[in-house]
Coordinates of all heavy atoms in Angstrom, one line a residue:
L7 N 153.9 -16.8 82.4 CA 153.7 -17.7 83.5 C 152.3 -17.4 84.2 O 151.8 -16.2 84.3 CB 154.7 -17.2 84.6 CG 154.7 -17.8 86.0 CD1 155.2 -19.3 86.0 CD2 155.7 -17.1 86.9
Q8 N 151.7 -18.4 84.7 CA 150.4 -18.2 85.5 C 150.5 -18.9 86.8 O 150.9 -20.1 86.9 CB 149.3 -19.0 84.7 CG 148.0 -18.8 85.3 CD 146.9 -19.7 84.8 OE1 146.8 -20.8 85.0 NE2 146.0 -19.2 84.0
I9 N 150.3 -18.2 87.9 CA 150.3 -18.8 89.1 C 148.9 -18.7 89.9 O 148.1 -17.7 89.6 CB 151.4 -18.1 90.0 CG1 151.1 -16.7 90.4 CG2 152.7 -18.2 89.6 CD1 150.5 -16.6 91.8
V10 N 148.7 -19.7 90.7 CA 147.5 -19.5 91.6 C 147.8 -19.8 93.0 O 148.7 -20.7 93.2 CB 146.5 -20.7 91.1 CG1 145.2 -20.6 91.9 CG2 146.2 -20.7 89.6
Y11 N 147.4 -18.9 93.9 CA 147.7 -19.1 95.3 C 146.5 -18.8 96.1 O 145.5 -18.3 95.7 CB 148.9 -18.2 95.7 CG 148.3 -16.7 95.9 CD1 147.7 -16.3 97.1 CD2 148.6 -15.8 95.0 CE1 147.3 -15.0 97.3 CE2 148.3 -14.4 95.1 CZ 147.6 -14.1 96.4 OH 147.2 -12.8 96.5
Q50 N 143.9 -16.2 94.2 CA 144.2 -15.3 93.2 C 144.9 -16.1 92.1 O 145.8 -17.0 92.3 CB 145.1 -14.2 93.7 CG 145.5 -13.2 92.7 CD 146.1 -11.9 93.2 OE1 146.7 -12.0 94.2 NE2 146.1 -10.8 92.5
V51 N 144.6 -15.7 90.9 CA 145.3 -16.1 89.7 C 146.0 -14.8 89.2 O 145.5 -13.8 89.1 CB 144.5 -16.6 88.6 CG1 145.2 -17.2 87.4 CG2 143.5 -17.6 89.0
L52 N 147.4 -15.0 88.8 CA 148.0 -13.9 88.1 C 148.8 -14.5 87.0 O 149.5 -15.4 87.0 CB 149.1 -13.4 89.1 CG 148.7 -12.1 90.0 CD1 150.1 -11.8 90.8 CD2 148.3 -11.0 89.2
E53 N 148.8 -13.8 85.9 CA 149.4 -14.3 84.7 C 150.0 -13.2 83.8 O 149.5 -12.0 83.9 CB 148.5 -15.1 83.8 CG 147.3 -14.4 83.3 CD 146.3 -15.2 82.6 OE1 146.3 -16.5 82.7 OE2 145.3 -14.6 81.9
G54 N 151.2 -13.4 83.3 CA 151.9 -12.4 82.5 C 153.3 -12.8 82.3 O 153.7 -14.0 82.6
V59 N 155.3 -11.2 86.8 CA 154.5 -12.2 87.9 C 155.2 -12.3 89.1 O 154.7 -12.1 90.2 CB 154.1 -13.5 87.1 CG1 153.4 -14.4 88.2 CG2 153.1 -13.2 86.1
E60 N 156.6 -12.6 88.9 CA 157.4 -12.9 90.1 C 157.6 -11.8 91.0 O 157.5 -11.8 92.3 CB 158.7 -13.6 89.8 CG 158.5 -15.0 89.2 CD 159.7 -15.8 88.9 OE1 160.7 -15.0 88.5 OE2 159.7 -17.0 88.7
L63 N 154.4 -11.1 92.8 CA 154.0 -12.1 93.9 C 154.9 -11.8 95.1 O 154.5 -12.0 96.1 CB 154.4 -13.4 93.3 CG 153.8 -14.7 93.9 CD1 152.3 -14.6 94.0 CD2 154.3 -15.9 93.3
M75 N 150.5 -17.7 102.7 CA 150.3 -17.7 101.2 C 150.9 -19.3 100.8 O 152.0 -19.6 101.1 CB 151.1 -16.7 100.4 CG 151.1 -16.9 98.9 SD 152.1 -15.8 98.1 CE 151.2 -14.2 98.0
V77 N 151.3 -21.4 97.1 CA 151.1 -21.5 95.7 C 150.5 -22.8 95.3 O 151.1 -23.7 95.7 CB 152.5 -21.1 94.9 CG1 152.3 -21.3 93.5 CG2 152.9 -19.7 95.3
L78 N 149.3 -22.8 94.7 CA 148.8 -24.1 94.3 C 149.2 -24.6 93.0 O 149.2 -25.7 92.7 CB 147.2 -23.9 94.3 CG 146.5 -23.5 95.6 CD1 145.0 -23.3 95.3 CD2 146.7 -24.5 96.7
S79 N 149.5 -23.6 92.1 CA 149.9 -24.0 90.8 C 150.8 -22.9 90.2 O 150.6 -21.7 90.5 CB 148.6 -24.3 90.0 OG 148.7 -23.6 88.7
S80 N 151.8 -23.3 89.5 CA 152.7 -22.3 88.7 C 153.0 -23.0 87.4 O 153.8 -24.0 87.4 CB 154.0 -22.2 89.6 OG 154.8 -21.3 89.0
R81 N 152.5 -22.5 86.4 CA 152.8 -23.2 85.0 C 152.9 -22.2 83.9 O 152.4 -21.0 84.0 CB 151.7 -24.2 84.8 CG 150.4 -23.4 84.7 CD 149.3 -24.4 84.7 NE 148.0 -23.7 84.5 CZ 147.3 -23.9 83.3 NH1 147.7 -24.7 82.3 NH2 146.2 -23.2 83.1

Side-chain angles (χ1 to χ4, degrees):
L7 179 66
Q8 181 193 75
I9 68 103
V10 182
Y11 76 80
Q50 184 169 21
V51 187
L52 267 182
E53 59 188 14
V59 172
E60 286 179 346
L63 200 61
M75 180 192 275
V77 174
L78 300 179
S79 130
S80 176
R81 65 193 183 109

